Amino acid sequence: MVVLAFLTLATAAVAQTLDCSTINLGQLGRLSYTVLEVPPNLSKRESYSLERTIIDFEDCGVKIIADGEGYASVVIADKRQFYKLISIPNATIKNRVSFPMVGVNVYEYPSTKEVLYSRNAWLVLFADTGNLGTFSLPETASDLEFLKEATISYKVDGGPLTPFFHEGKVIRATLPTNIKTLDIYASRSDYDKGFDRVRIDFENSSYELWKKYPFPAN
């Protein structure tokens, strides 16, 4: 069963039949899926922001609670589905997690406000090898330089705060492959996209998001 309540319609509830193969978490920040309708062979796509929508969802092995004010908790029953849902889809890469921690939308032609695109600072972890870094693409380098006012750090299993992104540069690392939790913190400056904190619990195939959260001192 699915129950979704919206900020503008706090008392509304919708029970629907989902196509479980279509569930997508949109690089953490959105929930979308295809709803099967009557008569047969009809369907529609629905999409909700985990940041701005009150959500109480449990179906297809996925459970999501979101308060509509920037906090969300996601639990995924199957570990294979966990990695599939929290990474950009790529059939050749398994057990990779990808988190757009800081971002901003900009116009390629600001004077005419044409061609809107997104610049993002991603944290990418290959769980099988422990390699921690970001996407190795030409456009990634320009994105990181553009976002140099932001800072991203992380904690492994509650350990010390370790820098990952500072002054437009990524500090790559190799983490243990048996880590239980990874806490990622971002000081996003004036960049509006992304999250101040993301906590991944690998043992329980779950994660939490905070849009607003104080950057830790240590």
Side-chain angles (χ1 to χ4, degrees), residues 57-79:
F57 173 101
E58 187 168 3
D59 207 339
C60 303
V62 178
K63 183 176 181 179
I64 302 175
I65 301 294
D67 66 5
E69 298 181 357
Y71 171 79
S73 169
V74 179
V75 181
I76 302 169
D78 183 84
K79 193 170 289 291

Side-chain angles (χ1 to χ4, degrees), residues 25-202:
L25 292 174
Q27 290 83 57
L28 304 184
R30 299 194 68 83
L31 165 68
S32 62
Y33 50 80
T34 297
V35 177
L36 305 177
E37 296 190 314
V38 178
N41 303 320
L42 292 180
S43 64
K44 64 179 179 179
R45 192 71 179 168
E46 298 194 350
S47 181
Y48 307 96
S49 167
L50 269 63
E51 301 174 32
R52 297 182 296 275
T53 309
I54 300 172
I55 298 175
D56 186 351
F57 173 101
E58 187 168 3
D59 207 339
C60 303
V62 178
K63 183 176 181 179
I64 302 175
I65 301 294
D67 66 5
E69 298 181 357
Y71 171 79
S73 169
V74 179
V75 181
I76 302 169
D78 183 84
K79 193 170 289 291
R80 290 171 298 180
Q81 188 184 20
F82 173 71
Y83 284 111
K84 178 182 177 182
L85 289 175
I86 65 173
S87 177
I88 291 179
N90 187 325
T92 64
I93 299 177
K94 296 181 179 179
N95 295 358
R96 180 183 71 181
V97 292
S98 312
F99 308 104
M101 294 300 301
V102 179
V104 65
N105 289 330
V106 295
Y107 288 101
E108 185 171 354
Y109 306 102
S111 59
T112 58
K113 293 189 176 180
E114 293 181 276
V115 189
L116 184 68
Y117 63 99
S118 179
R119 291 182 180 271
N120 294 282
W122 290 80
L123 182 147
V124 179
L125 173 65
F126 293 86
D128 290 342
T129 63
N131 290 338
L132 182 70
T134 194
F135 294 116
S136 298
L137 302 171
E139 56 266 33
T140 303
S142 61
D143 284 358
L144 296 179
E145 179 64 23
F146 188 87
L147 298 167
K148 63 183 179 181
E149 299 301 319
T151 296
I152 304 172
S153 297
Y154 61 91
K155 294 183 178 184
V156 174
D157 294 339
L161 191 67
T162 304
F164 169 75
F165 176 70
H166 184 65
E167 295 184 347
K169 303 296 182 182
V170 168
I171 304 168
R172 297 176 183 271
T174 301
L175 306 183
T177 57
N178 62 344
I179 66 173
K180 297 177 180 179
T181 61
L182 179 65
D183 257 303
I184 313 165
Y185 300 91
S187 176
R188 294 183 291 126
S189 186
D190 293 327
Y191 309 119
D192 59 338
K193 293 183 64 179
F195 304 94
D196 284 357
R197 183 187 180 192
V198 174
R199 184 181 190 275
I200 307 99
D201 184 335
F202 293 96

